[in-house]
Amino acid sequence: MTKLSRIGLVLVVAYSQTLLAEEIQPIQPLSTQTEIEQQFSDDILQHKKAQQWVHEVANNIAAIRYVDKLAELYHAIGFVPLWQDTFTASEFEEQLRIIALSGVSADFSNRYKLLKRYKQSNDWRQYDLLASDTLFAYMSYVEGMPAYGRGWLFGAGVDARLPAPSDAYNARLLSAIEQEQLRYFVSAMKPMGDSYSQLIHAIEKQEQATQQSWPGFYQQGIIRLGTRLQNPEGLITILESQGDLRDFEAEQIRAAGVKTYNIDLANAIKSFQQRHGLKADGVIGPQTRYWLAISPRSRVRVLALNAERTRLWSEPQSSVLIVNIPNYEMSLWLDNKHVLDSKVIVGRKTRRTPLMTSNMSSVVFNPYWNVPMSIMRKDILPKAQRDRGYLHRNGFAVIRSWTSSEQIPIHTIDWRIVNAKSFPYRLRQKPGRKNALGRFKFNMPNDNAIYLHDTPAKSLFAKDERAFSSGCVRVEYAEDLAMILLNHSGVPEQRVNQLKARTKTKTVGLQGNVKVHVIYQTAWVDNQGLVNYRNDVYDYDKFVVMSQNQELFTSLYNE
């Protein structure tokens, strides 16, 4: 038994004796009880000495938070340094650096800065103690990610004071130390999968660009082929640093003394536009100019933030459907094979599509649409009041409640006095070509009543930015998605075609376990190894805007 485990056992025994002393007589011999009490007293004394040692070594380090845990840890390992292995320390520092760069936690940024300072000044005792204390904070961060990550990484930031990690996680740490596997324990705290490592590599490339003066490109107006460039070198440098112009191509353009916007630059801009979710027409307009003005240092923050976000959905799944909100697209993998991509329409900024994880449960053919209360009040009822024929033309029925199918004749309602907020009935839209859900609905259990569905408004898929819905996700290729999911679930193509040909509503359950992730990534690396960026449609990245002091920190502690 380890020293740390023995302390916990003795504390439990002593506490139990105190509670039951008046009711239960001790069954052990007096000498044994005396030995336990003496051991308890000795362990308490040792723990106090360990706490005193922590305070002495800390020497008023403000960042130290977990004094009791530190005392137990160092007492258990005999007060030897924990971070003597430089590989382990470097691995831990690198993970902290990414959190610091992401801007989600001022506490982790400060801890990383202090650790680098202690290392540079050879204050190894303080470095070791702070690194261990930071490890406890980091363990708490990793452990709390499933429950709190959707707040921490999407605008709220990480809590300034995280609770101590669980006893089970502490036991795993102690076991790793005893088996001399701390390095593997620390390495395992990174997100799994390729997405994280690819974003880290992208950060390293952007950091190389931060070492040079950033030229910027601010020429106004629409720039097309033949337009004279006010700062051709600036445009060439940006495209070269971002990988849209290869080094030798950039040098050839420079050597030619190009002063106008030519075909070589236009092709590079097309690549740049495609990676940023813009129309790849080679014309530099306001949106392309906006992205050209983003500095490498700002891109580092976005890449680091999105690297941290992969913690929420990095576990590999053999069959998974992923909707990336800022990209307005969904992708489907079945049995580890990529089978479908489709444009999607997501919730507008005032009615955001929530981030979530679920399982695809069923496909509904020719669905009814039970109009959500908020949409009924804000959208449908005002139209019905202005246009008495609106509900009938669009196939809406007024029903008494969701638990009653009794219909209220539309003509019996006095629409002149209807108050949308107190309207006592519910609206349901029958299946048909005008139904808002289209011909297919894809159910996935969740607390937000969110689902994927078809739509009759196909023209909206032609737009570059597609945040138009009231929260649910509209799928351009909904018919293909239905066929693929049902075939994978064992429903023959002939049966699917039969159901499609009917007008009757039919729900078909899915047998295959297809995980659904609705995610929010504003930066990622695609299958071609290209770094993609997207607009922050819901402003979830905004808290990464740093103060001047934080900007200075970013530049000072990049390695």
Side-chain angles (χ1 to χ4, degrees), residues 223-225 261 266-267 269-270 273 279-284:
I223 301 176
R224 296 184 173 88
L225 286 175
Y261 187 59
N267 286 334
I269 283 293
K270 288 180 181 179
Q273 290 170 327
K279 183 179 180 180
D281 56 7
V283 176
I284 302 178

Side-chain angles (χ1 to χ4, degrees), residues 90 153 159 182 279-280 312 334 363 380 388 486 488:
S90 296
L153 304 180
D159 299 341
L182 179 60
K279 183 179 180 180
L312 294 168
L334 295 177
V363 177
I380 308 298
R388 303 297 172 84
L486 289 166
H488 181 256

Side-chain angles (χ1 to χ4, degrees), residues 162-219:
L162 294 172
S166 67
D167 291 340
Y169 209 177
N170 283 325
R172 287 169 52 194
L173 169 62
L174 193 64
S175 175
I177 294 171
E178 290 175 338
Q179 298 175 40
E180 298 183 352
Q181 292 185 341
L182 179 60
R183 181 179 180 182
Y184 302 103
F185 179 88
V186 170
S187 181
M189 297 172 78
K190 292 188 299 189
M192 303 296 291
D194 295 334
S195 298
Y196 180 83
S197 58
Q198 289 170 340
L199 285 167
I200 300 307
H201 181 65
I203 289 172
E204 293 169 352
K205 294 185 70 174
Q206 289 297 326
E207 286 177 333
Q208 294 174 6
T210 64
Q211 306 303 317
Q212 303 173 358
S213 176
W214 187 244
F217 185 79
Y218 309 106
Q219 184 169 333

